[in-house]
Amino acid sequence: MSQVDDQIARSTEMLDRTRANSRGASMRSRKSRQSDIGKRVARIAIVDAMIVIGAIVVGFFIPLGMFGALAVMALLIAATVLLAIAPGVPEVKAEALPSAPLRTLPVQTEAWLDRQRPALPAPAQTLIDAIGVRLDTLGPQLTALDDGAPLAVELRKLIGEQLPELVKGYAAVPEPLRRTPRNGRTPDQQLTDGLKLIEEEIGEMSASLAQGDLDRLSTRERYLQIRYREDGVEG
């Protein structure tokens, strides 16, 4: 009975983790769409405002009249439509990831992975979601990390080169062969195992970066204790 309970507990934990990862992927996708829409609206507002201001300035010197007003309205409509349907953020290319700025590398890698996700098997999709969560955590941690630091070099190699190469290598395998064992494992299994290792490695690197922050927090808290609590007792 205990073995059954253990199996149920493991299955429940796996299901909860899968749901959490799926919610995280959905939330990131929704945030990305909202960000793109916000940028488009901002561009439209700026351009339309410039058109209106330009029309007002011209109107001081040359009366626009009915035809001028119609021309301004037509220009506003055309600008709004063109900016609304214009391409959004340029698509991130895997080839550009190794040279991407370190601070933006997690975001760019995650955007590239999101586009590859639908073509991957279900277990790999779950790991892609988990890697996305790791990258969300890692991004802010890199703002103070020097590009030449050993950890920065390893991070760039891991998420800017090895991760994309793993996914691209799997995509190059013909679909019928992806579930055919070779040397004891299928390409699907090799991809999943590789993604799992990368996800764990990103987590360890993120923990290493956080350790420095935790040490600084502990030092600061200890200083405050000495400075205010112990000095207060002595006084």
Side-chain angles (χ1 to χ4, degrees):
M1 185 63 178
S2 61
Q3 292 181 349
V4 174
D5 291 339
D6 289 343
Q7 183 62 41
I8 292 175
R10 285 195 295 270
S11 299
T12 302
E13 182 183 357
M14 182 177 298
L15 181 59
D16 291 341
R17 189 183 304 116
T18 301
R19 287 173 176 170
N21 288 334
S22 297
R23 285 196 297 269
S26 177
M27 184 176 298
R28 290 193 301 274
S29 178
R30 184 163 57 251
K31 286 182 178 180
S32 178
R33 289 195 300 270
Q34 291 174 347
S35 176
D36 183 57
I37 291 173
K39 290 177 182 178
R40 288 177 186 270
V41 171
R43 286 197 296 265
I44 290 172
I46 292 172
V47 172
D48 284 356
M50 292 175 63
I51 292 173
V52 171
I53 293 172
I56 293 173
V57 172
V58 172
F60 278 121
F61 302 97
I62 304 174
L64 296 177
M66 179 66 71
F67 291 106
L70 291 175
V72 172
M73 290 184 62
L75 188 58
L76 286 171
I77 293 172
T80 300
V81 172
L82 288 174
L83 290 173
I85 64 176
V89 179
E91 180 177 326
V92 178
K93 301 292 186 182
E95 295 75 15
L97 291 176
S99 59
L102 183 63
R103 296 178 182 180
T104 64
L105 181 57
V107 174
Q108 294 192 43
T109 301
E110 185 177 358
W112 183 82
L113 284 175
D114 280 342
R115 283 194 295 274
Q116 317 309 312
R117 186 180 183 278
L120 303 180
Q125 290 184 9
T126 299
L127 286 167
I128 289 294
D129 294 340
I131 289 173
V133 174
R134 296 287 195 190
L135 292 175
D136 283 343
T137 302
L138 182 65
Q141 294 181 294
L142 299 184
T143 56
L145 185 63
D146 184 81
D147 274 18
L151 187 56
V153 174
E154 286 301 314
L155 273 169
R156 182 180 294 281
K157 183 178 293 293
L158 180 66
I159 66 178
E161 298 180 23
Q162 294 172 346
L163 175 55
E165 287 300 324
L166 174 65
V167 176
K168 286 168 57 182
Y170 172 82
V173 177
E175 202 279 334
L177 300 179
R178 294 176 181 177
R179 287 168 295 279
T180 302
R182 182 173 182 271
N183 298 327
R185 290 190 300 165
T186 66
D188 279 2
Q189 292 170 329
Q190 292 174 338
L191 173 67
T192 301
D193 291 345
L195 290 175
K196 181 60 178 175
L197 287 172
I198 290 175
E199 188 266 338
E200 292 173 350
E201 189 64 24
I202 295 174
E204 291 180 4
M205 292 181 175
S206 181
S208 296
L209 289 171
Q211 186 60 49
D213 295 330
L214 292 171
D215 290 343
R216 284 189 291 272
L217 177 61
S218 178
T219 300
R220 172 56 58 179
E221 189 272 340
R222 179 58 182 159
Y223 166 79
L224 292 174
Q225 288 282 353
I226 296 174
R227 177 67 177 83
Y228 295 103
R229 183 67 58 79
E230 296 180 7
D231 284 358
V233 171
E234 292 176 2

